[in-house]
Amino acid sequence: MTPGGAGVQHHEAETAGSVGTAHPDRADRPAHPDDAFEATAGQVLAGYLNARCAEFLRSLRLYGESGSDTAAAAEAATALRCSARRIGGSLHTFRVLLDPAWADQLRTELGWLSGTLAQEYACTARLHRLVSALARLSGSGPAPGSGPVPTARHAEIPAATAAGALTVGASRAGALLERQLTLARTRSHSAALQALGSSRFHAVADAVAVLASEVPLAPVAGAPAAEILAAPRSAAERRLLDAVSALPLTRAAHPYNAEALVHGLATPSDGEAQDAPWHQVRLLLRLHRYAQEVRPGGGPPDPVLAEAGRSLDRHRDAAEAAAAAANAARTPRIAPATAYALGVLHADQRLEVEAARYEFQRIWQRTAVTAP
């Protein structure tokens, strides 16, 4: 089955030549240094969306052609999600330049598609992360910079005994995690296949194919780009700055402050609430980065913002891995050694959460983002 079907491929063939000629009045005009300043906001935004839609359709075709090649399918799915996020982020940030109802609907559908495709690969990455961490902690794998096995603060348990208990429980803990996450990955794979064959997905693909050549702009989009695009970008920046200001960056500036670990040992709802502001900053930082890409003449991305985004990605991955370990530890009637290994694994991942926060705080000191 090829996602999107022949109809989407037909749209892709049509838009392949139309992306660069969406404005015939400028198609044959020679380039001029002042062209970027003469462009309207609608022209700049439409050009950006045209290019992202072409990437979306190209990735969709590659995903359909990947067949049993899992590596190619994963690469195409990643590119597909990346394009969908950029399109959706632009529709959100520059909503004032578009038909609002149309932009909101397409953004919602793109979010659904991106989230559905991401689940399978997230389960795979989480399983690999947890199994590798178990091997490192139990001494059966490489452990660069690893410390001793953690024990209770006042417990008089020899290190060798603690390590032995972890080694005994690590294999069972790994098997339990593999069963649970493999089942979750299988369900996510089935959900993705079902979504790609649904009428809802075909409607999204057709909408993106149309968007690759025709963008429904609002009247205000006819104003000069230099005057109109700055306000939505500034609003995205302000939302990010406000969210970052609410983070405990002063505490995160001290390594091994144990805040992430202490809160991670609380109830699931408390742990999620403690991680939520960081996840929100991650999303707002992504929107800010995407908004910076929509400008006359384009421009290279800010490497510091990209580095900050990667640190928050690591924060999210570690937090979700810790939640998976905690969920496995709640399995009824597991052996004490297995529960101990899962507890050590959970603590290790919460320390990774703390390390990611420390890294983000250090990067943020160098960021080019400044308050308006």
Side-chain angles (χ1 to χ4, degrees):
M1 177 185 66
T2 300
V8 174
Q9 292 183 358
H10 175 67
H11 277 302
E12 183 181 7
E14 290 182 347
T15 57
S18 61
V19 169
T21 59
H23 305 286
D25 57 317
R26 297 185 293 121
D28 299 325
R29 192 175 65 181
H32 189 275
D34 294 333
D35 280 355
F37 299 97
E38 296 174 359
T40 66
Q43 290 171 342
V44 174
L45 179 59
Y48 179 82
L49 290 174
N50 292 162
R52 302 292 80 77
C53 289
E55 292 174 358
F56 179 97
L57 297 171
R58 188 181 308 113
S59 301
L60 179 59
R61 175 177 54 81
L62 294 175
Y63 186 85
E65 295 173 352
S66 60
S68 59
D69 188 345
T70 55
E75 182 178 356
T78 299
L80 185 65
R81 299 199 313 270
C82 182
S83 300
R85 289 196 303 265
R86 278 179 158 80
I87 297 170
S90 300
L91 297 180
H92 172 76
T93 302
F94 300 98
R95 181 175 179 269
V96 66
L97 303 179
L98 303 163
D99 179 347
W102 168 86
D104 292 343
Q105 180 181 5
L106 182 55
R107 179 168 58 89
T108 300
E109 295 302 287
L110 288 170
W112 161 77
L113 176 61
S114 179
T116 301
L117 294 179
Q119 291 303 315
E120 176 184 356
Y121 302 100
C123 290
T124 302
R126 196 171 304 136
L127 176 59
H128 177 74
R129 179 189 186 96
L130 289 172
V131 171
S132 298
L134 270 177
R136 169 174 52 82
L137 293 168
S138 63
S140 59
S146 61
V149 178
T151 60
R153 180 170 297 180
H154 302 292
E156 297 181 357
I157 302 177
T161 302
L166 179 58
T167 302
V168 170
S171 59
R172 294 181 180 179
L176 176 59
L177 287 168
E178 186 170 3
R179 285 197 302 271
Q180 292 184 346
L181 291 176
T182 299
L183 177 60
R185 180 179 60 187
T186 301
R187 290 174 175 171
S188 299
H189 180 70
S190 299
L193 290 179
Q194 184 177 2
L196 291 174
S198 66
S199 58
R200 182 179 183 181
F201 166 75
H202 286 274
V204 175
D206 288 342
V208 173
V210 173
L211 182 60
S213 59
E214 182 181 352
V215 180
L217 298 170
V220 69
E227 299 177 6
I228 301 298
L229 295 180
R233 283 200 299 263
S234 297
E237 182 181 8
R238 170 51 59 189
R239 288 192 294 269
L240 171 62
L241 292 171
D242 291 343
V244 172
S245 66
L247 295 178
L249 291 184
T250 302
R251 187 172 180 85
H254 301 282
Y256 308 108
N257 59 67
E259 182 183 32
L261 178 59
V262 170
H263 286 285
L265 296 175
T267 61
S269 59
D270 290 341
E272 292 173 3
Q274 193 256 349
D275 291 333
W278 295 87
H279 296 332
Q280 180 66 12
V281 168
R282 172 179 169 270
L283 297 178
L284 292 175
L285 176 59
R286 176 189 293 171
L287 287 175
H288 174 63
R289 288 173 51 215
Y290 294 166
Q292 295 302 307
E293 297 176 355
V294 184
R295 59 175 64 250
D302 189 332
V304 179
L305 290 180
E307 187 179 358
R310 287 191 293 269
S311 70
L312 291 178
D313 287 343
R314 286 190 287 271
H315 176 276
R316 187 271 317 270
D317 294 342
E320 292 182 349
N327 182 63
R330 298 186 188 97
T331 303
R333 297 183 297 277
I334 61 175
T338 305
Y340 174 76
L342 290 170
V344 172
L345 179 62
H346 175 269
D348 175 75
Q349 293 303 301
R350 291 306 302 183
L351 288 175
E352 292 289 338
V353 169
E354 184 179 305
R357 294 178 183 179
Y358 175 71
E359 181 184 23
F360 173 80
Q361 186 275 337
R362 289 174 61 88
I363 296 171
W364 192 253
Q365 303 304 318
R366 301 184 284 111
T367 186
V369 178
T370 55

